[in-house]
Amino acid sequence: MNFIQTSIVILFFVFGLQKAQSQSYHFKTSGFSVLEKNERGKWGEWSNLDLVNLSVVLDTNKHRIVVYSQEIQLFNILDYIEREENDTDITYSFMCKDNDGKECKLSIITRKKQDFRKQLYINYDDHIIVYNIFSV
């Protein structure tokens, strides 16, 4: 092999390995609920669970999470927070900016004592949205 062929082979392997490390995780939702702060800044009650069938994609290559609702919710990941685990939960969290440029924290929580049920929490200062999700 000459120098150019060797360089092409090396580049192929380097880019191929980088691609292999990036992943997309696909989920479907089964329901969602919202919690809001009242005018006094106190948390209210969770809304009734509404059934909803949406796609959610965590794309670590593009550093984003997308909820494919009627109005697409795009969250650009600013920071990956270290995985947390305790007796009841496994939590993966991400500091993000949404479509409007607002900062929020997204967390994918696996409930160990609830048959490993998964939930996606979208946390803002004044409200929280939770989606029940499952892997597809």
Side-chain angles (χ1 to χ4, degrees):
M1 270 196 211
N2 65 28
F3 177 74
I4 293 175
Q5 289 173 327
T6 304
S7 298
I8 291 172
V9 169
I10 290 172
L11 285 174
F12 174 78
F13 282 115
V14 168
F15 287 117
L17 287 175
Q18 286 180 344
K19 181 89 170 159
Q21 292 175 350
S22 299
Q23 293 185 338
S24 287
Y25 301 90
H26 297 266
F27 304 95
K28 285 285 192 180
T29 66
S30 60
F32 82 100
S33 183
V34 178
L35 177 65
E36 295 180 301
K37 282 187 177 177
N38 64 25
E39 57 280 349
R40 294 183 179 170
K42 302 288 183 193
W43 290 107
E45 299 289 324
W46 283 101
S47 67
N48 290 331
L49 185 71
D50 286 329
L51 301 180
V52 65
N53 181 13
L54 306 173
S55 293
V56 176
V57 177
L58 163 58
D59 188 334
T60 60
N61 185 39
K62 295 181 181 176
H63 306 289
R64 68 184 191 183
I65 298 170
V66 183
V67 178
Y68 290 94
S69 54
Q70 187 171 355
E71 184 176 320
I72 293 177
Q73 302 170 61
L74 172 64
F75 302 94
N76 289 305
I77 299 171
L78 305 174
D79 191 23
Y80 293 80
I81 298 171
E82 189 173 330
R83 175 183 183 266
E84 296 176 25
E85 183 170 357
N86 58 37
D87 290 343
T88 59
D89 301 320
I90 303 169
T91 305
Y92 294 90
S93 294
F94 315 88
M95 292 307 300
C96 300
K97 274 199 178 176
D98 69 10
N99 308 44
D100 298 323
K102 293 181 184 175
E103 288 194 14
C104 54
K105 179 180 176 183
L106 275 69
S107 298
I108 297 174
I109 301 175
T110 301
R111 307 290 184 185
K112 292 180 180 180
K113 294 184 177 181
Q114 297 177 19
D115 293 325
F116 292 89
R117 176 170 73 106
K118 289 181 176 33
Q119 294 181 302
L120 170 64
Y121 282 82
I122 304 171
N123 295 278
Y124 289 94
D125 290 336
D126 61 347
H127 69 283
I128 301 170
I129 303 167
V130 63
Y131 290 98
N132 290 327
I133 60 174
F134 57 93
S135 300
V136 291

